[in-house]
Amino acid sequence: VREVFETLTPYGPARMSGTGASCFVPFVNRAAARLAQETLPKHWKSFIAQGRNHSPLLDAGLRTTLR
């Protein structure tokens, strides 16, 4: 985890997901994320995703089903 944070921190505030299964950095746009992604070690698995402030399942009306 230290290696990941040290690698990501130059690009912004490195964070860990709530489950601890992944680390990420927020970017202002996809182009900036792609540039950073190109510098990551080749053996790392990475992807670019758009952040969400809440679960799309709640938008789909599944809130009552999940309770």
Side-chain angles (χ1 to χ4, degrees):
V1 174
R2 179 180 294 151
E3 177 187 0
V4 172
F5 269 66
E6 288 173 355
T7 302
L8 295 179
T9 298
Y11 303 105
R15 300 177 181 154
M16 186 177 285
S17 67
T19 62
S22 62
C23 296
F24 64 94
V25 174
F27 289 92
V28 294
N29 58 49
R30 184 173 290 274
R34 184 95 47 212
L35 285 173
Q37 185 181 38
E38 290 174 4
T39 69
L40 297 177
K42 299 300 178 203
H43 64 277
W44 287 13
K45 294 181 182 180
S46 67
F47 62 92
I48 298 171
Q50 183 174 350
R52 303 292 303 229
N53 289 330
H54 60 277
S55 170
L57 293 175
L58 296 177
D59 292 340
L62 299 177
R63 172 179 251 151
T64 56
T65 310
L66 296 174
R67 288 185 180 177

